[in-house]
Amino acid sequence: MTTETPARHEDQVQELERVTIRFAGDSGDGMQLTGTQFTRTAAVFGNDISTLPDYPAEIRAPAGSLPGVSGFQLSFSSSEIHTPGDQPDVLVAMNPAALKTNIMDLPAGGALIVNEDAFNQQNLKKAGYASNPLTDGSLKSYTVFSIPISALNARALDGLDMTSKQVDLTKNFFALGIMFWLYERSMDPTLRWIDEKFGAKPIVAEANRRALKAGYAFGETTEIFHTHYRVPSAHLPAGKYRNITGNEAAALGCVAASKLAKRDLFYGSYPITPASDILHQLSTYKNFGVRTFQAEDEIAAIGAAIGASYGGAMGLTASSGPGIALKLEAMGLAVMVELPLVIIDVQRAGPSTGMPTKTEQADLLQVMFGRNGDSPLPVVAPATPAECFDYAIEAWRIALKYMTPVVYLSDAFLASGSEPWRIPDVADLPSIGVENHTDRASFQPYARDPQTFARPWAVPGTPGLEHRIGGLEKADITGNVSYDPENHHRMQLLRREKVARIANDIPELQVAGPATGELLILGWGSTYGAIRSAVERLQAQGRSVAHAHLRHINPFPRNTEAVLRSYRQVLIPEVNLGQLLMLIRARYLIDAIGLDKVRGKPFRIAEIEQTALDLLDRK
Amino acid sequence: MAEALTLPVVPPLSRKDFVSDQEVRWCPGCGDYSILAQTQKVMPDFGFPKENIVFISGIGCSGRLPYYMNTYGFHSIHGRAPTLATGLKAARPDLMVWVITGDGDALSIGGNHVLHSMRRNVDIKLIMFNNRIYGLTKGQASPTSEMGKRTKSSPAGTIDQPVMPLSIALAAEATFVARSVDTHTEHLQATFESAGRHHGSAFVEVLQNCNIFNDGAWRAFTEREVRDDRMLFLAHGEPMIFGKDRDKGIRLRGLHPEVVTIGEDGVTVDDLLVHDEHAEDPYLAFMLSRLSYPEFPVPVGVFRSVDHPTHDKLMQAQIDEARAKSGEGDLEALLNDGETWVAS
Ligand code: SF4
């Protein structure tokens, strides 16, 4: 392979196990793109990676303002990592607002790279700085690299037929070039990306190429960086990898499920942050027979998905908390008519509109109980971006086998965060297909499979099985409308039992750590990485701590109670005010302790570690 | 999954093939009985095997109709029947899908879905029973109740302007718009026939009598003795003549319709508006949708019937095009797409 990245001198290279970088700038500065490019490059190099994009909800907050700051944190490592890092080792701040909103996360001694050209009077004022922090001594506890990025970049692009505004838009690639040099990363993947992306616009392509290379050359030639760093590739389990976000993995998982079940996927959806990318992605899979439908509202989106499932397709819908609130009535209908359906909830900070781009895990009780009547449905929750693929298939397996709507809980952190995904062999994926019912003699709309309690899936077009279903209570077996009190009681029990039985068909809860001991940290969803890392640290300190992570929340794995009772204390960290905690306490009468954090951000490892230590040391 | 329908050779079905084993439970004397009977009567005419016909309803007295049809049926939730129908038809273009709804279901809680299913030209036949009242909840004002109507929920009279269902359907770009009356059985059958044969979104308003909570809502012009003078039976290509003596007509003066008498003031048949249900522009149909008694005779029949590509066909065409261009999707290739690397 030819390479455009120059060979480097071997002097002054320091090897590191793990580095965490945060790019921060105005939302117009291209920080998400910059972060993504670094991530891909590190991933392709073979590092383990974990990312945390953090962007404002406003499409265009005023340039230079505090609410307009967009950030992207990524951690890359030569060993296995589970989180995007508690704190950045390096902060790249493209303007004063970015500095102001991020500097408190940079530990003392951390490296700070700033675009000094952006620190003018106007921007300082917008960020609320009375004096220039670059010169007033307030940053003296950091290693500051103050670089005139805008000016150097403009010089590099000199002679190109572009406005100064267009030139300025490429300065993020100059910064990226510096970071590539600093961390010994090849520019080639990004140069290839530029060619693909801007092939039709040669001037823009050239500008981005020049910006990137100029930044790299700056790193190499300037004296300001004494050292650069090397993070060797990680020893990930053998296999072929790609970098994947949770939303990408969820969409791929649903397409895979459709292929495995040999039924067309129908996706009904209404645009909402942070779930919209699933719609964008699925709408490009038309040659897989995927039908995407952008509905007039959230209700129509799920209504159409139910209609499609009724017709024998795999009806899927996705949204975030506010949209799920609108779908709940239709979810209850799906419970009543017992049709397969998957509802993805990419949770975000609530209540109400809340903070649309910020993560939270606070829809658990909504999806468990937010419907009229006792209305049980299974809930699954992937723990990492890559798991979003597996649990999409798992959600479909359950939906099809048990003829039930299934909720799949993701969140903004999983959805936009990324990590290396070991691409599975299609042959190794589970078989999840089910047959339509066609036999007239045995047909009763609400007769149940003796094992799964699933009712038959008799789709329109099947001769002789004409029947009526709906939201009114069904008579057991015949499915006719029934107001009989005894029947209603029995049907409620049957619906509950059907979901409860799924516990016999899912893996037991696994424990990382000692099988019994002082403390179990129990989590679900995107807290996985932080809990896992905290537990590893505690175990390294010789503490009696174990980690268990629920992927199935309704029903719970059948050994859940036994696991919980094997430890003196149980700690449940959640990005909500104690929702799994409430379920666990109610279900098992176990005096578990909650750790809440609802700041729109994932847990830091240290927060969990410290709480665990406090519990362990409490007498 | 769903191939284009090829009709199997089956013995012709009759009305009783479409009668389910469920006991009909509307109030005695309700207009819904006739609507059900006419629906069952016309079903065999379409030549569809009954397993390929689906009735989807919302909530309200009308919502029970699917239980009485021996076809596939889905009694869904309030106002949402068009959404289920949209998904079903998209997934299964081979099915004939009817939506049964009422004035509250379609125009109040489900108004948004009616608007969008119509403008998308989803190939569904939506039959809206309009009795100008909430019957199932025992008599509250509905969105079609006349201004000032006293009901349980409006003892001092409603203060809401009623909506004109067909004006809304036309504004929503429905490609088929018609009106009939529960008691005019032959006209009702003919209207259902036309709706059933239409490809695309059909909106049919049936003026229905709720003899318990709003008896006689339409009686002033639908009764046998007066209907010829007070209703306008639309026929494509025919001048708009009405009256027992066929001597009245609708003429356009400027932008305004007016009732004229043939033979008076030199008015001849040639001065009258001629109905054109296939007109691409909706002006004539919209004007007709505004005519109401007593100022005008109430038009019934097909207001509009135009041929546009249907939602499911357009969706299928995009899928076919994608397959022609990129081939049938290969999961292995999809999973391995983009930038990959190998760890050993
Ligand atoms: S309440 Fe009115 S509309 Fe409903 S069934 Fe009785 S008569 Fe018919």
Side-chain angles (χ1 to χ4, degrees):
Chain A
M1 192 176 77
T2 61
T3 173
E4 290 198 52
T5 304
R8 53 174 65 240
H9 310 290
E10 277 306 305
D11 52 341
Q12 294 166 327
V13 181
Q14 190 185 332
E15 189 163 310
L16 298 174
E17 187 187 333
R18 174 180 186 167
V19 170
T20 299
I21 301 175
R22 186 184 298 175
F23 293 97
D26 195 67
S27 7
D29 284 344
M31 292 298 98
Q32 301 304 318
L33 175 61
T34 311
T36 309
Q37 286 300 323
F38 199 103
T39 303
R40 293 172 66 227
T41 302
V44 173
F45 176 77
N47 293 127
D48 198 3
I49 48 167
S50 178
T51 71
L52 173 61
D54 183 19
Y55 52 96
E58 291 81 11
I59 297 302
R60 278 278 175 267
S65 69
L66 297 173
V69 174
S70 172
F72 190 105
Q73 181 163 317
L74 69 113
S75 202
F76 61 109
S77 171
S78 60
S79 59
E80 216 186 314
I81 55 172
H82 310 297
T83 78
D86 278 8
Q87 298 169 310
D89 302 302
V90 188
L91 172 64
V92 179
M94 297 299 280
N95 69 4
L99 179 68
K100 180 113 185 205
T101 49
N102 288 280
I103 190 68
M104 66 289 226
D105 293 335
L106 191 68
L112 171 66
I113 298 176
V114 294
N115 175 18
E116 71 179 39
D117 294 331
F119 283 68
N120 54 34
Q121 270 316 314
Q122 203 193 359
N123 282 344
L124 288 167
K125 202 170 143 219
K126 281 192 205 161
Y129 278 117
S131 63
N132 189 342
L134 300 184
T135 54
D136 68 7
S138 60
L139 299 174
K140 63 178 184 304
S141 57
Y142 309 107
T143 313
V144 182
F145 302 97
S146 180
I147 303 170
I149 291 178
S150 301
L152 291 169
N153 187 51
R155 203 173 308 152
L157 269 59
D158 205 19
L160 286 180
D161 183 17
M162 296 173 87
T163 65
S164 56
K165 200 167 170 195
Q166 287 171 320
V167 167
D168 199 54
L169 283 176
T170 63
K171 65 178 181 296
N172 58 327
F173 270 40
F174 188 98
L176 182 62
I178 297 176
M179 299 309 280
F180 279 162
W181 179 83
L182 206 51
Y183 292 100
E184 267 202 343
R185 285 290 171 265
S186 166
M187 290 187 284
D188 295 350
T190 299
L191 289 169
R192 276 201 300 275
W193 179 87
I194 292 171
D195 286 344
E196 276 167 33
K197 177 87 180 171
F198 300 117
K201 299 178 191 157
I203 295 184
V204 181
E206 177 60 16
N208 281 290
R209 266 196 299 269
R210 281 202 206 172
L212 185 72
K213 290 182 186 173
Y216 194 97
F218 175 83
E220 191 159 49
T221 52
T222 181
E223 297 285 299
I224 68 170
F225 300 111
H226 304 297
T227 315
H228 58 249
Y229 304 92
R230 175 175 300 160
V231 179
S233 62
H235 293 289
L236 297 173
K240 191 170 169 191
Y241 285 81
R242 65 188 272 195
N243 183 38
I244 201 159
T245 67
N247 270 350
E248 287 167 356
L252 283 181
C254 287
V255 176
S258 152
K259 278 277 175 188
L260 295 170
K262 299 191 180 63
R263 287 178 191 266
D264 284 347
L265 187 67
F266 176 93
Y267 183 55
S269 156
Y270 186 76
I272 187 169
T273 302
S276 299
D277 282 341
I278 298 176
L279 172 61
H280 306 160
Q281 195 175 339
L282 286 175
S283 65
T284 65
Y285 298 153
K286 293 193 180 4
N287 62 326
F288 286 82
V290 177
R291 286 169 162 76
T292 53
F293 171 60
Q294 183 181 327
E296 58 270 27
D297 60 26
E298 296 282 1
I299 299 170
I302 186 170
I306 292 173
S309 284
Y310 176 58
M314 289 161 64
L316 171 71
T317 189
S319 189
S320 189
I324 298 296
L326 289 165
K327 295 183 195 289
L328 289 164
E329 186 194 15
M331 287 161 69
L333 176 67
V335 168
M336 189 60 122
V337 296
E338 304 191 38
L339 282 170
L341 182 76
V342 171
I343 303 118
I344 297 178
D345 179 357
V346 186
Q347 302 165 95
R348 68 188 213 192
S352 189
T353 312
M355 301 195 289
T357 59
K358 308 297 179 195
T359 197
E360 208 159 275
Q361 297 183 294
D363 290 348
L364 175 56
L365 295 182
Q366 172 176 235
V367 302
M368 283 290 292
F369 304 119
R371 289 172 297 282
N372 58 308
D374 289 306
S375 172
L377 47 70
V379 178
V380 302
T384 70
E387 266 187 20
C388 287
F389 177 84
D390 308 318
Y391 281 84
I393 297 174
E394 172 66 356
W396 276 114
R397 182 188 73 86
I398 294 172
L400 295 166
K401 184 169 175 183
Y402 293 86
M403 290 288 285
T404 178
V406 175
V407 171
Y408 170 108
L409 287 174
S410 173
D411 64 32
F413 176 36
L414 285 179
S416 53
S418 65
E419 66 176 351
W421 172 50
R422 195 158 72 87
I423 301 167
D425 225 323
V426 170
D428 296 339
L429 297 175
S431 99
I432 59 171
V434 294
E435 297 294 326
N436 289 340
H437 188 99
T438 53
D439 178 49
R440 291 177 196 226
S442 66
F443 181 63
Q444 289 284 2
Y446 275 71
R448 293 177 189 280
D449 178 282
Q451 229 83 59
T452 62
F453 279 21
R455 75 176 192 92
W457 199 358
V459 306
T462 315
L465 304 192
E466 295 83 3
H467 67 286
R468 275 65 56 192
I469 58 173
L472 288 171
E473 180 59 288
K474 302 278 158 293
D476 190 16
I477 303 181
T478 68
N480 289 328
V481 173
S482 169
Y483 300 129
D484 172 38
E486 288 310 313
N487 176 75
H488 176 55
H489 190 76
R490 176 171 167 73
M491 291 301 280
Q492 293 284 63
L493 298 182
L494 283 171
R495 283 187 283 263
R496 182 174 72 178
E497 175 66 14
K498 179 168 95 164
V499 174
R501 284 183 171 220
I502 297 168
N504 300 323
D505 191 24
I506 57 176
E508 294 205 327
L509 182 59
Q510 301 295 313
V511 172
T516 61
E518 284 297 307
L519 178 67
L520 176 76
I521 307 187
L522 179 71
W524 68 279
S526 66
T527 54
Y528 174 83
I531 298 177
R532 182 62 183 268
S533 305
V535 168
E536 282 172 2
R537 285 187 195 172
L538 291 159
Q539 288 170 348
Q541 297 161 37
R543 299 296 190 138
S544 169
V545 180
H547 174 204
H549 214 76
L550 289 163
R551 271 82 168 182
H552 291 89
I553 302 186
N554 197 31
F556 287 129
R558 56 195 176 281
N559 64 333
T560 303
E561 181 170 11
V563 168
L564 298 177
R565 293 206 185 281
S566 303
Y567 302 86
R568 199 169 63 81
Q569 300 186 85
V570 175
L571 173 67
I572 305 182
E574 292 178 88
V575 188
N576 61 46
L577 295 179
Q579 301 198 3
L580 177 65
L581 179 73
M582 184 185 286
L583 295 181
I584 291 288
R585 292 175 68 107
R587 172 76 187 272
Y588 300 117
L589 281 175
I590 285 176
D591 190 15
I593 297 155
L595 171 58
D596 312 329
K597 170 168 172 175
V598 279
R599 295 189 167 81
K601 291 183 172 154
F603 273 107
R604 290 180 177 171
I605 302 166
E607 292 166 336
I608 295 172
E609 184 186 6
Q610 190 53 52
T611 307
L613 284 172
D614 292 347
L615 284 176
L616 288 165
D617 294 339
R618 194 173 70 171
K619 281 293 158 244
Chain B
M1 90 187 32
E3 297 301 316
L5 175 72
T6 47
L7 293 179
V9 185
V10 284
L13 299 172
S14 71
R15 177 191 166 186
K16 65 178 191 322
D17 291 307
F18 288 92
V19 177
S20 82
D21 59 357
Q22 298 294 298
E23 187 193 333
V24 182
R25 289 197 196 156
W26 284 308
C27 308
C30 175
D32 292 1
Y33 284 95
S34 168
I35 303 176
L36 172 64
Q38 311 326 316
T39 306
Q40 289 166 335
K41 250 178 230 159
V42 301
M43 277 307 125
D45 301 352
F46 302 116
F48 264 69
K50 63 187 165 118
E51 66 269 17
N52 281 14
I53 301 176
V54 183
F55 278 81
I56 304 182
S57 62
I59 298 295
C61 294
S62 64
R64 304 191 68 97
L65 185 137
Y67 293 119
Y68 311 137
M69 297 295 301
N70 192 19
T71 62
Y72 282 87
F74 200 144
H75 181 202
S76 74
I77 44 179
H78 207 5
R80 318 303 174 197
T83 72
L84 277 87
T86 299
L88 177 61
K89 187 69 191 175
R92 294 289 306 277
D94 57 322
L95 302 175
M96 183 189 219
V97 181
W98 295 76
V99 170
I100 303 297
T101 179
D103 40 320
D105 194 58
L107 298 173
S108 232
I109 192 166
N112 196 27
H113 309 309
V114 169
L115 161 62
H116 289 277
S117 57
M118 294 295 123
R119 64 118 173 158
R120 293 189 181 107
N121 203 26
V122 179
D123 189 10
I124 52 176
K125 294 79 189 65
L126 182 146
I127 312 295
M128 192 197 81
F129 300 11
N130 185 2
N131 55 20
R132 311 190 88 175
I133 200 79
Y134 281 84
L136 190 66
T137 49
K138 301 194 179 2
Q140 299 82 5
S142 94
T144 55
S145 293
E146 54 278 26
M147 173 80 105
K149 187 172 186 69
R150 290 172 194 275
T151 70
K152 276 185 196 147
S153 61
S154 58
T158 60
I159 54 170
D160 303 339
Q161 179 68 29
V163 298
M164 310 277 271
L166 298 192
S167 299
I168 288 189
L170 288 161
E173 310 292 339
T175 50
F176 181 97
V177 175
R179 177 192 284 145
S180 190
V181 183
D182 54 2
T183 49
H184 298 189
T185 54
E186 277 171 29
H187 189 268
L188 188 54
Q189 281 175 41
T191 307
F192 287 168
E193 282 265 6
S194 308
R197 293 186 190 286
H198 176 69
H199 298 290
S201 57
F203 186 102
V204 180
E205 176 190 19
V206 182
L207 307 182
Q208 176 242 326
N209 194 42
C210 167
N211 54 309
I212 302 296
F213 296 108
N214 200 17
D215 195 25
W218 311 110
R219 197 169 288 155
F221 58 86
T222 57
E223 291 290 273
R224 186 172 296 278
E225 313 76 60
V226 295
R227 68 185 183 200
D228 287 338
D229 283 329
R230 297 177 183 176
M231 294 178 69
L232 173 64
F233 291 86
L234 297 169
H236 177 68
E238 299 291 328
M240 295 183 192
I241 299 176
F242 67 101
K244 238 186 224 102
D245 304 325
R246 309 279 304 154
D247 62 342
K248 297 237 167 32
I250 305 290
R251 181 175 75 173
L252 204 59
R253 191 174 54 183
L255 288 173
H256 301 278
E258 61 176 358
V259 173
V260 292
T261 306
I262 301 167
E264 273 179 20
D265 302 325
V267 172
T268 70
V269 169
D270 292 343
D271 295 322
L272 303 182
L273 277 170
V274 174
H275 186 44
D276 178 7
E277 63 189 37
H278 302 313
E280 200 39 59
D281 60 48
Y283 309 126
L284 179 69
F286 190 79
M287 183 207 76
L288 289 169
S289 77
R290 309 295 300 175
L291 302 187
S292 59
Y293 180 79
E295 294 78 17
F296 288 97
V298 174
V300 290
V302 178
F303 287 53
R304 183 176 205 227
S305 175
V306 294
D307 211 17
H308 291 179
T310 62
H311 185 249
D312 64 272
K313 288 230 163 60
L314 292 170
M315 191 178 269
Q316 186 63 48
Q318 289 193 341
I319 288 175
D320 294 343
E321 197 186 330
R323 284 183 164 143
K325 197 166 143 231
S326 331
E328 173 65 36
D330 174 4
L331 184 59
E332 190 90 47
L334 179 69
L335 300 186
N336 286 275
D337 196 22
E339 220 147 10
T340 61
W341 70 95
V342 173
S344 44

